[in-house]
Amino acid sequence: MKKMIRFGMLEKLINSTNRIPLIVIKRWKKPKYKWITDSMKSKYEPTQLALKYFDKHYKFEFGEKWPSIRLALLSKQKHGALVNNFAHPIAVEEKLSQLGAKDCIPSMRALLETENQNIKENSQNDIETLSNAKLNQKTEEANNNLNNDVLINSSSSTYAPKVEYIVPEQYVDQMSQFIPNLVDNSTHNIDIGIERKQLSISEHLKCYIFDGSAVKRFPPAKYNSETYSYLEYYLLDASSLFPVLSLDLQPGDMVLDMCAAPGGKSVAMMQTMNIGGIVCNEVAPSRRRRLQDALQLCIPKHILNDEECFRITEFDGTEWGNMEPDTYDKILVDVPCTTDRLVATENDNNIFHPKRLKERSRLPLLQTELLSAALKSVKVGGTVVYSTCTMSSEQNENVVQRAVYECLQNDSIQVIEIDLSPLTRICNNMFNFHDKLKLGQIVVPSLSANFGPMYFCALKRLN
C-alpha cells in the first residue's frame, strides 16, 4: 500500500505544471554471495552421483563383498594384450613374454577340454528345466528385508513400517532402476531351460596378461616393423573376451555384432579365424569412427574390402529383427549400459550427469529391445550372447528375463540358456566371478584380479 502511495505522489509531481525535475534512484539489494568449496563442488559431480547410486544398490546385491569391489572399481584396471595374428604373432609373443606377461588362453583351453570330457561322460547334453521356485530361491532371503510389511528388531522390540513409493504410472519404467522392487518382475519369471554343451576355444586366439595383483602396464602397441600396417596387439579388458568365447564360434559362422563400437570384441572374433562373415553395426557416428579405426589398425584391407565377408552398418539395432529375421548363426549384443568403471572415475561424458537422467532411465528398455531383436534375427539353433559392463541386475538378468518373456508372448520364440559355468570354473584363478546370479555369469573387479565388470549370458533359439 505504501508503495502505491509513493508512486501516485510521484506521478502527480511529474504531471504537474511546475515540471519539477526529479532524479529517481533505484536501490538494489546487495546480493549475498556463497563461497563454493571443493567439497561442495565434488558432491554434485557425476562420479560422486554414480558412487552414491552404487552404494545404495550394489550393497544390496553384493552384501559384504561390495566394499572390496568398490575399492577395486576405483583402482587401476588391469588389461590384456590380444595378439594380432596379421602382424607376425610369433615375434609379438616373444616380445610380450619378455615383459613378464603370459598367455592365458592355452591353460583355459586345456582345462576346458577336461570339462568337455566330463560333460560327455556324464551325458549332460540334455535340457533341464528350472522351476520358478528354484530361480527365486537365491534372492528370496535378500529381498525379505525390503518386502516385509513390518521389520521387527528382537533386541529393542521396535517396529519399522515398510517404505512405499507413489510414482505416476507413466514414470514407473523410468524410475524402476532408481527404486528397488518398484516394478513387479514376477510376471517375467518364466521357466528357462539350461543346455549343457561342450564349448571350444580357437587355437588362433592369444591374450597375454600379467600374473598377480600388481598392476603392470603394457606399453602402447606399435606398428610391426615388417608390415608397417597393423598393430602388434590390441589392448583391452581381458574379461571382455568372455562374450566372444561364449559364442563358441565355429568355421563358417555368419556373425552379427549388433553394437560393435569401440571394436575390441569385433577384433577378437576376427582373430579366431573361425567366421565365414561378420557384420559390425554401430548407430552412433562418433562411435562408428572409433570402430572403423580399430578394425583398420588390426585387420588387412583385403578382408575389410570383401563385402561378402565383412560389412560395417549404421542401422538401428532395435529394428534388426524385422530387417533380417532368421539370418545369423551367432549374434553378440554388447548393449549400451552405465559402464560402471568409467562413470565411477571419469566426469567427462558421464551418463550420471543430471542432464542425462532421461537417457539413463531408458537404458533397460533399450537393452530389452536390442536383445529381443537379436533373438528374432538369429537362426533356429543359433546363439545370442548378451553382455554389459555393469553390475546392475536391472540391466543384466532382468533384461534377459524380460526379453525372453516378450519373445515368447509376442512371437512364440522359445529360448534356453547355455550353461557357461565351465568357462567360469577354468578361470577362477585369473578372474573374480560372482556366482549368485539367476541368469548368466559376471566378472566383478577385485584387487587381486582387477578385470571387469563384465556380464555375459548365452541364449539358444529353439524354434
Side-chain angles (χ1 to χ4, degrees), residues 405-418:
Y405 175 82
E406 291 180 2
C407 286
L408 180 61
Q409 295 296 319
N410 301 332
D411 303 285
S412 300
I413 295 177
Q414 296 181 357
V415 175
I416 59 173
E417 180 189 2
I418 297 177

Side-chain angles (χ1 to χ4, degrees), residues 62 73 77 236-244 246 262 265 332-335 337 339-341 385-392 396 420 424 431-434 437 439-445 450-457:
F62 297 101
L73 195 67
Q77 182 183 16
L236 76 174
D237 186 335
S239 65
S240 62
L241 290 179
F242 282 106
V244 177
S246 302
K265 296 179 180 64
L332 175 61
V333 192
D334 187 39
V335 296
C337 63
T339 57
D340 290 356
R341 188 182 288 273
V385 172
Y386 174 83
S387 65
T388 71
C389 48
T390 178
M391 296 177 283
S392 171
N396 294 338
L420 299 178
T424 63
F431 300 90
N432 182 35
F433 293 93
H434 182 65
L437 291 182
L439 294 168
Q441 307 290 338
I442 187 170
V443 180
V444 295
N450 203 359
F451 299 102
M454 179 59 60
Y455 173 82
F456 52 100
C457 180

Side-chain angles (χ1 to χ4, degrees), residues 93-130:
E93 291 183 53
E94 293 179 357
K95 179 180 179 180
L96 294 174
S97 298
Q98 293 176 357
L99 295 175
K102 295 182 179 180
D103 187 4
C104 63
I105 301 297
S107 60
M108 293 171 57
R109 189 182 298 112
L111 293 173
L112 189 59
E113 290 178 359
T114 304
E115 291 284 343
N116 291 337
Q117 186 64 27
N118 293 335
I119 293 175
K120 185 177 180 180
E121 292 176 356
N122 297 330
S123 301
Q124 293 296 325
N125 291 327
D126 59 325
I127 300 174
E128 299 178 357
T129 303
L130 298 179

Side-chain angles (χ1 to χ4, degrees), residues 186-353:
S186 59
T187 57
H188 300 149
N189 290 339
I190 61 175
D191 294 338
I192 299 180
I194 295 181
E195 179 182 1
R196 294 180 172 90
K197 59 174 290 187
Q198 300 181 37
L199 303 174
S200 61
I201 300 178
S202 171
E203 297 180 355
H204 301 282
L205 200 62
K206 306 177 185 68
C207 183
Y208 280 73
I209 61 175
F210 291 108
D211 291 337
S213 58
V215 182
K216 297 182 180 179
R217 313 294 293 184
F218 285 99
K222 299 179 179 179
Y223 289 105
N224 187 277
S225 58
E226 298 182 9
T227 62
Y228 296 100
S229 299
Y230 314 119
L231 290 179
E232 297 177 332
Y233 51 84
Y234 186 90
L235 292 179
L236 76 174
D237 186 335
S239 65
S240 62
L241 290 179
F242 282 106
V244 177
L245 299 178
S246 302
L247 285 170
D248 192 24
L249 296 174
Q250 301 298 323
D253 279 346
M254 190 64 188
V255 185
L256 168 63
D257 192 352
M258 187 173 286
C259 309
K265 296 179 180 64
S266 296
V267 171
M269 285 189 284
M270 300 185 76
Q271 296 297 328
T272 63
M273 310 293 184
N274 272 350
I275 55 178
I278 184 171
V279 176
C280 300
N281 182 69
E282 180 55 53
V283 65
S286 59
R287 292 176 58 83
R288 190 165 58 251
R289 285 192 292 270
R290 293 180 60 190
L291 170 65
Q292 293 172 341
D293 293 341
L295 292 172
Q296 291 173 359
L297 290 174
C298 299
I299 309 300
K301 292 182 179 180
H302 70 273
I303 296 179
L304 300 181
N305 294 333
D306 187 354
E307 295 183 357
E308 295 183 359
C309 298
F310 176 81
R311 281 189 300 155
I312 293 182
T313 58
E314 52 188 33
F315 300 119
D316 181 4
T318 60
E319 300 294 332
W320 212 283
N322 299 325
M323 294 189 302
E324 292 184 333
D326 309 326
T327 303
Y328 298 94
D329 300 295
K330 307 289 172 63
I331 298 180
L332 175 61
V333 192
D334 187 39
V335 296
C337 63
T338 51
T339 57
D340 290 356
R341 188 182 288 273
L342 179 65
V343 298
T345 55
E346 297 289 340
N347 283 317
D348 295 339
N349 199 27
N350 195 312
I351 200 170
F352 276 86
H353 194 282

Side-chain angles (χ1 to χ4, degrees), residues 160-202:
K162 177 185 176 182
V163 177
E164 295 185 357
Y165 298 92
I166 301 175
V167 179
E169 184 177 355
Q170 62 269 29
Y171 298 110
V172 169
D173 292 336
Q174 297 181 8
M175 297 301 296
S176 60
Q177 65 170 322
F178 305 107
I179 303 177
N181 297 335
L182 179 63
V183 177
D184 183 13
N185 292 317
S186 59
T187 57
H188 300 149
N189 290 339
I190 61 175
D191 294 338
I192 299 180
I194 295 181
E195 179 182 1
R196 294 180 172 90
K197 59 174 290 187
Q198 300 181 37
L199 303 174
S200 61
I201 300 178
S202 171

